[in-house]
Amino acid sequence: MRKIIVQEFITLDGVMQAPGGPEEDTSSDFKYGGWTAPYFREADDEAGRFMQKVMESADLLLGRKTYEIFAAYWPEHADMWPGINDVTKYVVSHNQMELPWNNSELITGDVVARIKELKAGEGSVLKVVGSGNLAQTLFKNDLVDEMYLMTFPITLGTGKRLFEEGTIPAAFTVTDSLVTKNGVVFANYQRAGNVETGTVGE
């Protein structure tokens, strides 16, 4: 059995769109691309240690747009993400598409059934990076085992969000966390069953 881990950079109001650069994803006239950059310029050693964990080599499960962005960048920058060219990149798309990056495999048709097959098989964990629409599908079908979230102390008010309508109620346990000197909250969350309710004070 393989775990599916969703790892994302997000704002306080849950925006995940285009954290890396101004031209990364300008859809819906998004004007704040690259909103993580100032915080990484001031990153400390603790943040670096946590990022090493985030960037550990593992197979990737990507949506079409994220795959296209990654395929245009990472093959020439593999020194920054060791093993990235060697792992399998599973690309989820409703349409046929070119897969120029080595070790890439298309998932289409009944994508939920195919992802369940992958999850039940052997291999490394499957990491989802970016890929907002894919993440929504995984949340709706209760296929997310863990989340690595890096929450930045800003709000944008607009942009694609990690949790949209359709996310099922679910409980998570924090297994590791760090607050950097410049206010970025790194936290690992592990799926922990159903949501429990009660009355405070009883």
Side-chain angles (χ1 to χ4, degrees), residues 3-202:
K3 289 183 179 180
I4 292 180
I5 300 173
V6 171
Q7 61 181 50
E8 306 286 358
F9 301 115
I10 63 171
T11 65
L12 288 174
D13 55 340
V15 174
M16 56 176 287
Q17 186 171 352
E23 305 303 320
E24 184 177 336
D25 180 3
T26 58
S27 60
S28 301
D29 200 28
F30 188 68
K31 295 180 173 62
Y32 301 105
W35 46 268
T36 65
Y39 297 91
F40 281 112
R41 284 197 291 267
E42 302 172 11
D44 55 28
D45 291 340
E46 286 184 298
R49 176 187 62 80
F50 207 103
M51 284 302 298
Q52 284 182 346
K53 180 177 180 180
V54 167
M55 298 183 79
E56 286 176 349
S57 182
D59 290 346
L60 297 177
L61 188 57
L62 304 171
R64 177 191 59 80
K65 188 172 187 63
T66 299
Y67 174 82
E68 291 174 344
I69 292 169
F70 279 22
Y73 181 82
W74 284 112
E76 305 303 322
H77 298 84
D79 58 318
M80 297 168 57
W81 193 344
I84 187 63
N85 286 327
D86 301 320
V87 300
T88 302
K89 279 73 71 173
Y90 297 100
V91 188
V92 178
S93 175
H94 293 300
N95 302 306
Q96 294 296 316
M97 59 182 289
E98 295 294 322
L99 301 176
W101 201 1
N102 63 308
N103 300 323
S104 297
E105 181 178 323
L106 183 64
I107 295 177
T108 191
D110 189 343
V111 298
V112 172
R114 178 65 180 120
I115 292 170
K116 286 180 178 179
E117 289 177 3
L118 279 177
K119 196 172 179 342
E122 299 294 325
S124 74
V125 300
L126 295 160
K127 287 189 174 182
V128 180
V129 185
S131 308
N133 290 337
L134 171 59
Q136 300 306 315
T137 298
L138 297 174
F139 284 128
K140 290 175 185 177
N141 289 277
D142 198 15
L143 292 172
V144 178
D145 298 289
E146 296 184 30
M147 296 183 293
Y148 294 173
L149 301 185
M150 293 143 279
T151 306
F152 289 71
I154 57 171
T155 57
L156 297 179
T158 185
K160 298 174 183 176
R161 286 174 166 78
L162 179 58
F163 301 106
E164 297 281 7
E165 291 183 12
T167 301
I168 65 169
F172 290 84
T173 298
V174 176
T175 59
D176 193 10
S177 64
L178 166 72
V179 181
T180 67
K181 294 175 183 177
N182 57 8
V184 181
V185 178
F186 290 79
N188 293 2
Y189 300 88
Q190 188 172 72
R191 187 73 165 84
N194 298 322
V195 174
E196 298 182 6
T197 63
T199 301
V200 175
E202 286 189 352

